[in-house]
Amino acid sequence: MSFPTHRPRRLRRTGALRRLVAEVSLSVDDLVAPLFVREGISSPQPIDSLPGVSQHTVESLLAEAARLVELGVPGLILFGVPARKDPEGSEAWNPDGIVQVALRELRRAHGSDLVLMADLCVDEYTDHGHCGIVNHAGEVDNDATLALYANAAVAQARAGADIVAPSGMMDGQVGAIRSALDADGHAASVSILAYSAKYASSFYGPFRDAVDVTIANGGDRKGYQQDFHNVRESMTEIRLDIAEGADMIMVKPALSYLDVIARARHEFDVPLAAYHVSGEYAMLKAAAANGWIDGELAAVEILTSIKRAGADFILTYLAAEIAETLG
Ligand code: PBG
C-alpha cells in the first residue's frame, strides 16, 4: 500500500506541534463584554435567560468593569435600561440618562485603560419597543429616526464614549451620526462601530429580557433588520456604512452567519466585529447546565470559529469567563 508523501496527521501528533501550526488563536484582546446598566435599582438583578449576566447598578457596573480591566479585556459595550420610556426614547440622549451617567463614571474610573463603547439605538428607551419613531401607519419612519440617533450619539460622545455603535438598521444612520459627531467636535476622537449586517433574528430573545423590551402589538423588526436568507445584501449594507464613515463594521449574530463574516473579511479591510448574541450564549449555557456538552470547551471552540471566519474581535457575554480560562 502506498501513501502520499504529504501526511497531515504528522503535524497533529502532539499538543506543541498543534500549537505551532495553529492558523488562528483566541486571545483576551479579541473580547468585548456587553454590559447592562439599569436606572432605579439598588442591587444587581440577575437575568434568568442569561445565566451569569445581570442588570447592573452604576456601582456594580463599575465593579464589573474593574474586573474586566484586571482580566485584560480591552473593551465593553454598554446598554441602558431607563426608568422612564416614551414614544421617542428621549432618555437615550438625556445627559443625565443612565448610559450617560454610567459612561462618565467609567471614564473617570478607567481613563484610557478600557475602550468604552455605547450601543446606539432607542428600542430600550421607547414605550413601543421599536428602534425608531413609529408613524400613523405603525411603521418605523427611517428619516425621522435619524435625528434621534444623532442626538444620542452626541450625548454618548460628550459623556465619554470612545465608540458609538448604531444598531437600529436605519438607512443613512452612520452618515447622520458622523455629521452630528463632527459638528459637536468629536471628529478626531469618537469612532463608529456600525452594526452593518444585523439580521432580524430569533437569537435576540434573552437580550429583550435583559433590557425589558417587548415590541408593541406582537411586532417584529423584519422591516428594518436584514432577512436571514441573504448574504449579498450584507455586502451592500457594509459598503454603504463604510462610505458614510463607519470606522469598523459588525456582523450579528455570529454563529449562524459565519459565511457573512468570511465574506465581509474577504471584501473589506476595516476592522470587523462579530456579535455572539444572547440566544447563542443561552443555548450554550443551557446545554452545559444539563451536562450535554462541556461548556468551557464548546465556548472556546465557538469563539475560535468566529475568529477563523475572519472577525477581528467578538462581542460576547462569555468575555470575562473566557478571559479567565485563557489567562
Ligand atoms: C438593539 C439591539 C439588540 C441587540 C443588540 N442591540 C436587540 C434587537 O435588535 O432586537 C441584541 C443583542 C443580543 O441578543 O445579545 N438595541
Side-chain angles (χ1 to χ4, degrees), residues 98-111:
I98 185 65
V99 159
Q100 282 68 250
V101 169
L103 283 169
R104 281 196 294 271
E105 294 289 329
L106 287 165
R107 178 60 66 218
R108 206 185 340 261
H110 295 292

Side-chain angles (χ1 to χ4, degrees), residues 119 123-124 167 198 204 207-208 221 225 252 278 317:
D119 182 83
D123 62 316
E124 296 92 359
S167 63
K198 176 174 177 179
Y204 306 150
F207 174 91
R208 297 196 185 139
R221 307 205 197 289
Q225 298 179 347
K252 177 186 172 191
S278 59
Y317 304 96

Side-chain angles (χ1 to χ4, degrees), residues 36-38 40-47 52-64:
F36 302 100
V37 60
R38 178 169 175 179
I41 52 171
S42 51
S43 61
Q45 308 289 310
I47 302 156
V53 181
S54 297
Q55 295 176 328
H56 285 289
T57 63
V58 173
E59 196 185 354
S60 70
L61 177 78
L62 286 166
E64 183 64 15

